[in-house]
Amino acid sequence: MTNTIPEEQTSKSTLPQLSNSEGITTPQPQSPGRLVLRRLFRNKLAIAGIAIIGMVVLTAIFAPVLAKQTPDKNGIFKTYLRETKIPPSLEHPMGTDDLGRDMLSLIIYGSRISIRIGFFSVGLAIIIGVILGALSGYFGGAVDNIIMRLMDIMLAFPSILLALVIVAVIGPGLLNAMIAVGIVSIPTYARITRASVISERTREYVQASRALGANSFRILAQHILPNALSPIIVAGSLGIATAILDAAGLGFLGLGAQPPTPEWGLLLSRNKSHIFTSPWMVVFPGISIMFLVLGFNLIGDGLRDALDPRLSNVGLKAPKL
Amino acid sequence: MIQYIIRRLLLVFPVIIGVTFLTFAMLLATGDPTSAMAGEHASPGLRAAIREELGLDDPLLVQYGRFVWRLLQGDLGRSIMTRSPVQSELKLFFPATIELAMAAMFLAILIGIPMGILAGYRHNSFLDLTTTLGALVGVSMPIFWLGLMLLWFFGLKLNWFPTTGRIDQGVELQTITNLFILDSILTGNIPALVSALRYLALPALALATIPTAFIARITRSAMIDILGMDYIRTARAKGLVERLVVTKHAFKNALLPVVTVVGLQTGSLLAGAILTETIFAWPGMGRWIVNAIIARNFPVVQAGVLIFALVFIAVNLLVDISYGWLDPRVRYD
């Protein structure tokens, strides 16, 4: 195969450890993980996604440095009543709101909340979902039936509606909204995990390790669950996108983050009555949400294509294995 | 086929029981409804009377049984705020949501399918790239933000469309189904039809974004898959007009995943309606439920959520059944 040389070149910048033997004509044996990463980094859209997320994460980390105005220790931004509703300018690139607060600063601090929402909700959903799915798939029978019927019931509700109901019961607030959004997506991960557990459970290597005296927990954790990892990663990154959107929706309805949190959905909601006089107060929070969600969607799509090259139709050819 | 349908129906029953139990339990989990009904400072006697009237002191299963029995008779309880039966409010709000959702789905199919076919046909072209990117942006967009932008631009700035409500106050319309479009057509009322369509335009467009994106994406990838098949090459080789190859041979077979996505998206349209209706003050189920949650008016929340879930289940069932009908292999899984 002569197509290894261009592959070398494209992977050099991103995965330097692969390029230490230059000019080789036979590809080195590679771990599946590396192959996936290599495919991912050749997907322009996925790189755009990584760049977006990277940017937002850096913004969140360096918020105190980047933001012109910073909140006090209670998270409250100072108001400047002489500078209300200033249109976007060099000094205030996203304008100011009706309290004279710099929109850009609010949005910079808001990025911390959205990132937290995404990872917390999906993390919660993955932990519970994987445990339920593993139990369900490994033990089968009644356990399986009960867990999976419960998941069916949860899936019978449109997701944001179920989240709304959970928030209605446990009360509004940022943490509760994150929990609600997390609970809603448990079935996705439970189903994925269950499917891979069932397909691996009867394999010979599992029987072998059982014969060697491994207990169920060890078999599940060490041998079976790693097989479920890649679909969970794909679902997880797409899931973060949905979680951020849903939580912003809850914030918009007044059932998620509460003032004075600069959560993007909440900013949109509190600024919406100013849309005619000062549209920038509404435009920028929305663009921010879209930007971050787009980033996670791009990575999710890219990962899916990288993990299953047959599905790839983004215009690049999957490397021959 | 009939066997397949019966099997699917049987699978739905436990889910329906679960859903009704969950909505029933929701009401219990929200605490003592007597304070919401009689106020925080109600006398113990009044509270006891309300508890008696609602049967709140009975065992859980008895209460659940009574709940289901009432449901079967079409009794959804009374709104705490208005004291009127929930189903009479439902009769107004449910058709509004259905009308909105159907209009949005119509738009999504009308835009999404041709876009997907073209993008799939001209794979890797500029058009394909814009469609793919557009679809990605579409699914990433917060629908409430898009709604606000449409409202601002087309409603306030250009003043093309009204921004809130369902129909002009001054227009007379004899309601039959409470689907205003259908009613105005049935009664031959042109001014009402025009007015209702103008009010419907912006919310339907906002709600259509996400399904349009999904439909375009799935149509595109199905077309790409199928245009690479041998029988397409055969059709071309025998000299068939390209238009027929695409429409008759390729698209017909690409339809299967598209139907699934249309069905599944119909379900999520209901969820999208919650946010869209809030922005455009569309008097439908979504806004009704949200307002009820904020006011802690739980009988309304309960009824609304239950109806949403049942519609969602029914739509999913229809998708499953149509899938078995379109692709017989599915039936023997």
Side-chain angles (χ1 to χ4, degrees):
Chain A
M1 273 294 152
T2 48
N3 66 351
T4 45
I5 292 162
E7 274 179 25
E8 277 284 322
Q9 284 167 349
T10 48
S11 62
K12 196 177 272 179
S13 55
T14 49
L15 290 170
Q17 69 271 35
L18 288 177
S19 60
N20 50 12
S21 49
E22 272 179 73
I24 48 157
T25 45
T26 43
Q28 299 235 321
Q30 287 169 327
S31 73
R34 273 194 190 163
L35 262 175
V36 166
L37 273 185
R38 209 156 77 154
R39 280 196 216 112
L40 184 69
F41 280 112
R42 286 203 288 158
N43 181 341
K44 288 193 193 79
L45 288 177
I47 289 181
I50 293 170
I52 290 175
I53 311 289
M55 233 173 89
V56 180
V57 169
L58 286 178
T59 307
I61 294 173
F62 294 107
V65 186
L66 294 168
K68 195 178 156 79
Q69 300 174 3
T70 48
D72 63 18
K73 60 182 192 304
N74 296 320
I76 297 171
F77 282 82
K78 226 170 140 183
T79 55
Y80 297 86
L81 293 178
R82 289 193 187 162
E83 299 178 7
T84 57
K85 298 191 181 183
I86 300 175
S89 60
L90 271 180
E91 202 182 342
H92 301 285
M94 294 186 180
T96 63
D97 72 357
D98 54 324
L99 297 174
R101 301 178 298 180
D102 179 39
M103 284 300 295
L104 180 61
S105 305
L106 291 174
I107 283 176
I108 287 175
Y109 273 91
S111 68
R112 294 185 154 186
I113 301 162
S114 287
I115 299 251
R116 210 158 66 208
I117 291 172
F119 284 101
F120 177 89
S121 315
V122 171
L124 180 79
I126 288 180
I127 291 171
I128 302 178
V130 166
I131 293 175
L132 290 178
L135 290 175
S136 195
Y138 192 77
F139 294 107
V143 179
D144 183 28
N145 247 318
I146 291 169
I147 293 175
M148 280 302 128
R149 289 301 82 74
L150 195 68
M151 297 297 115
D152 284 350
I153 292 165
M154 288 176 72
L155 286 171
F157 294 91
S159 73
I160 195 167
L161 184 70
L162 188 57
L164 264 172
V165 171
I166 295 172
V167 168
V169 172
I170 61 179
L174 181 58
L175 180 67
N176 286 354
M178 296 199 293
I179 293 173
V181 170
I183 292 178
V184 165
S185 41
I186 290 175
T188 315
Y189 305 101
R191 285 193 158 184
I192 293 173
T193 311
R194 176 178 176 268
S196 10
V197 172
I198 286 178
S199 75
E200 299 295 318
R201 190 177 52 184
T202 51
R203 295 284 172 88
E204 277 177 358
Y205 72 90
V206 173
Q207 288 172 0
S209 76
R210 186 172 297 132
L212 287 170
N215 62 22
S216 296
F217 177 74
R218 195 188 160 89
I219 293 176
L220 265 175
Q222 264 198 333
H223 299 296
I224 297 185
L225 286 184
N227 289 296
L229 207 60
S230 52
I232 286 176
I233 291 173
V234 173
S237 53
L238 294 171
I240 291 179
T242 321
I244 292 172
L245 272 183
D246 282 357
L250 289 176
F252 182 79
L253 293 172
L255 297 165
Q258 300 294 314
T261 324
E263 196 267 322
W264 294 340
L266 183 66
L267 283 181
L268 254 173
S269 155
R270 76 169 286 280
N271 293 352
K272 64 174 185 272
S273 53
H274 300 287
I275 192 167
F276 197 39
T277 54
S278 14
W280 58 88
M281 283 169 62
V282 178
V283 170
F284 291 113
I287 289 182
S288 313
I289 300 174
M290 189 171 78
F291 190 64
L292 182 58
V293 171
L294 181 66
F296 281 108
N297 275 331
L298 288 172
I299 290 192
D301 275 4
L303 277 170
R304 186 177 44 207
D305 291 343
L307 288 165
D308 189 353
R310 281 175 307 133
L311 299 174
S312 161
N313 44 29
V314 251
L316 43 89
K317 293 206 170 52
K320 292 222 165 61
L321 296 174
Chain B
M1 187 66 203
I2 290 175
Q3 227 181 1
Y4 172 74
I5 294 177
I6 292 172
R7 218 167 54 214
R8 295 295 323 165
L9 277 174
L10 285 178
L11 276 177
V12 159
F13 268 106
V15 175
I16 290 181
I17 292 172
V19 165
T20 52
F21 189 78
L22 216 67
T23 41
F24 162 74
M26 183 192 88
L27 203 58
L28 295 179
T30 52
D32 190 359
T34 56
S35 20
M37 292 171 83
E40 294 286 337
H41 307 292
S43 68
L46 181 59
R47 282 179 191 254
I50 295 174
R51 293 187 72 81
E52 177 72 38
E53 188 200 325
L54 297 176
L56 293 175
D57 297 320
D58 292 336
L60 208 62
L61 272 179
V62 173
Q63 288 192 49
Y64 174 64
R66 196 161 42 219
F67 173 71
V68 173
W69 181 241
R70 280 200 344 230
L71 278 184
L72 290 175
Q73 292 168 320
D75 176 6
L76 293 164
R78 276 172 189 280
S79 160
I80 289 177
M81 297 300 142
T82 60
R83 294 300 287 154
S84 58
V86 169
Q87 58 267 35
S88 68
E89 296 186 359
L90 193 67
K91 238 176 256 164
L92 286 173
F93 297 134
F94 186 63
T97 297
I98 294 295
E99 188 170 77
L100 178 59
M102 278 175 23
M105 190 40 93
F106 177 74
L107 276 179
I109 291 173
L110 205 70
I111 305 169
I113 289 186
M115 256 169 64
I117 293 181
L118 277 176
Y121 184 64
R122 304 204 178 282
H123 185 29
N124 282 338
S125 69
F126 178 71
L127 182 84
D128 181 27
L129 191 74
T130 29
T131 307
T132 314
L133 269 177
L136 265 166
V137 171
V139 294
S140 306
M141 195 139 42
I143 186 170
F144 45 97
W145 178 71
L146 177 71
L148 280 171
M149 291 291 114
L150 290 174
L151 196 144
W152 168 58
F153 193 70
F154 293 106
L156 296 171
K157 205 143 201 191
L158 299 177
N159 208 2
W160 286 0
F161 296 102
T163 52
T164 51
R166 272 185 87 185
I167 197 161
D168 273 328
Q169 291 292 331
V171 174
E172 298 245 338
L173 175 64
Q174 187 198 347
T175 52
I176 305 163
T177 55
N178 269 322
L179 297 165
F180 286 0
I181 306 282
L182 187 65
D183 285 350
S184 53
I185 293 172
L186 286 178
T187 53
N189 188 341
I190 302 294
L193 178 65
V194 173
S195 173
L197 280 174
R198 275 169 47 89
Y199 276 86
L200 187 59
L202 291 184
L205 197 61
L207 190 53
T209 327
I210 293 174
T212 307
F214 271 105
I215 290 174
R217 256 177 104 161
I218 205 84
T219 311
R220 169 183 175 273
S221 59
M223 283 300 284
I224 291 172
D225 277 355
I226 283 168
L227 284 172
M229 298 255 172
D230 284 344
Y231 70 84
I232 296 291
R233 200 185 311 161
T234 312
R236 281 185 179 143
K238 74 179 184 188
L240 198 64
V241 198
E242 192 61 17
R243 189 175 53 82
L244 282 180
V245 174
V246 174
T247 54
K248 224 176 153 181
H249 290 233
F251 177 64
K252 239 179 158 177
N253 287 296
L255 208 57
L256 191 79
V258 178
V259 168
T260 320
V261 133
V262 167
L264 294 176
Q265 286 298 311
T266 308
S268 49
L269 274 180
L270 295 176
I274 294 170
L275 288 160
T276 316
E277 288 177 0
T278 311
I279 290 157
F280 292 96
W282 186 262
M285 297 264 296
R287 203 170 71 113
W288 188 50
I289 295 177
V290 169
N291 287 340
I293 287 178
I294 291 167
R296 303 191 74 72
N297 185 357
F298 284 106
V300 167
V301 180
Q302 191 180 39
V305 168
L306 188 65
I307 301 288
F308 259 164
L310 290 181
V311 172
F312 201 60
I313 293 173
V315 169
N316 285 339
L317 186 70
L318 280 178
V319 173
D320 268 3
I321 290 176
S322 69
Y323 214 74
W325 178 61
L326 287 169
D327 184 355
R329 284 170 302 180
V330 175
R331 289 180 225 161
Y332 302 101
D333 260 353

